[in-house]
Amino acid sequence: MIPNYIGLITATSAFLGIWFGHVAVRKIEYISPTIWLPSLVALLLGLTMEVGALVADNLNLSAALGIIGITFLWDSIEFFRQHQRIKKGHAPANPANPRHARLLAKSNQATTIAWLDRNPIGRQLSPEELDSIPGSSI
Amino acid sequence: MNLFGLFLGIATLFIIGFGFFWVIRIEYSLGYYWWPYIMGLGFLVIVASIFVPSVWGAALLGAIGASLIWGSTELKEQAVRAELGWYPFNPDPKPQPPFIDLIKKLPLPHL
């Protein structure tokens, strides 16, 4: 039988796409003064990649562009969702970012605590323990 | 015009979306210590795709395998979210995976 390597291409593409949406979007949103600009860039990159996927004759190339392009289109929405997480206090705000500084001043939920930056302990945290996490009084 | 990549991309979006669902369910019922088995399953699925002659079949298996690997690293974060009260916390004892003592010594993957 002939080995079929397209699964390796799609696995790598999907992993990179998820990584970008998960890690890079958070980092860019953290420092970007606006949401619309990174969102627009992700939208245009995603559309460009989907056009590339449509015109590519090579199946491997079409697969990689198709998968990464769709994740970029999703990322253009995800920038707005990340902003909402900052507003809600589920992701840490960056006081040096004017957009986040406004959220910190306006919303009593926004915080600089990185809540997820910890290991599980096997039980629910009590309100006192949640209060004692460094920075939670900000 | 080649619709393969576009349709595959949309299919992958649903595979990733389903990841959010199963990560929550697995963490709730089995706990995050099962992560090496989920990660291993992901690698197995990707390797298996090499032996699948169908282009669509192999392509989808690759995306599913990648999503399993990523999701395995999310179980720990999901456990933290449940402990923080953002998601339902399951107080019941969870089934222990084989080699749990070894798994507890492994560094928790975090991406």
Side-chain angles (χ1 to χ4, degrees):
Chain A
M1 64 155 285
I2 308 155
N4 187 359
Y5 293 119
I6 196 161
L8 303 184
I9 304 278
T10 59
T12 311
S13 308
F15 197 84
L16 288 177
I18 301 172
W19 179 87
F20 193 89
H22 214 86
V23 180
V25 163
R26 277 198 307 225
K27 290 190 179 187
I28 295 168
E29 195 280 339
Y30 192 75
I31 55 169
S32 174
T34 65
I35 283 292
W36 68 267
L37 185 59
S39 176
L40 182 67
V41 171
L43 177 70
L44 294 177
L45 284 174
L47 288 175
T48 308
M49 280 189 255
E50 288 312 320
V51 172
L54 286 174
V55 299
D57 289 326
N58 181 298
L59 282 185
N60 289 336
L61 184 62
S62 180
L65 288 173
I67 290 174
I68 299 177
I70 290 283
T71 64
F72 268 64
L73 291 178
W74 186 268
D75 293 341
S76 70
I77 303 168
E78 200 61 43
F79 279 111
F80 289 93
R81 286 165 50 105
Q82 181 66 10
H83 175 85
Q84 291 303 317
R85 284 187 204 105
I86 306 280
K87 197 172 168 185
K88 205 175 166 189
H90 279 196
N94 173 11
N97 181 335
R99 181 171 50 82
H100 284 189
R102 281 197 298 276
L103 286 179
L104 283 168
K106 251 190 345 199
S107 156
N108 56 3
Q109 285 180 300
T111 172
T112 53
I113 307 169
W115 287 109
L116 295 175
D117 203 6
R118 63 204 319 280
N119 282 329
I121 55 170
R123 58 176 175 80
Q124 263 187 310
L125 293 162
S126 66
E128 293 77 29
E129 284 173 311
L130 291 173
D131 280 343
S132 69
I133 289 176
S136 63
S137 57
I138 295 172
Chain B
M1 202 166 80
N2 183 2
L3 288 169
F4 176 66
L6 176 63
F7 285 171
L8 187 63
I10 294 168
T12 302
L13 187 69
F14 283 103
I15 291 168
I16 298 170
F18 183 62
F20 283 80
F21 171 76
W22 68 252
V23 163
I24 292 167
R25 295 306 312 163
I26 298 249
E27 192 285 320
Y28 186 86
S29 45
L30 296 181
Y32 67 97
Y33 281 128
W34 287 80
W35 70 264
Y37 295 95
I38 312 282
M39 185 180 273
L41 179 65
F43 280 109
L44 273 181
V45 168
I46 294 170
V47 171
S49 78
I50 298 172
F51 305 99
V52 172
S54 152
V55 170
W56 263 104
L60 288 175
L61 283 178
I64 290 168
S67 180
L68 283 168
I69 294 172
W70 188 278
S72 74
T73 72
E74 274 291 314
L75 288 171
K76 171 224 145 184
E77 286 206 27
Q78 181 59 28
V80 172
R81 289 187 197 107
E83 290 178 3
L84 289 170
W86 298 356
Y87 282 86
F89 179 83
N90 180 5
D92 302 334
K94 303 192 174 75
Q96 295 209 330
F99 307 109
I100 180 142
D101 294 329
L102 184 65
I103 293 170
K104 282 181 176 172
K105 285 185 197 139
L106 294 175
L108 282 166
H110 178 72
L111 292 163

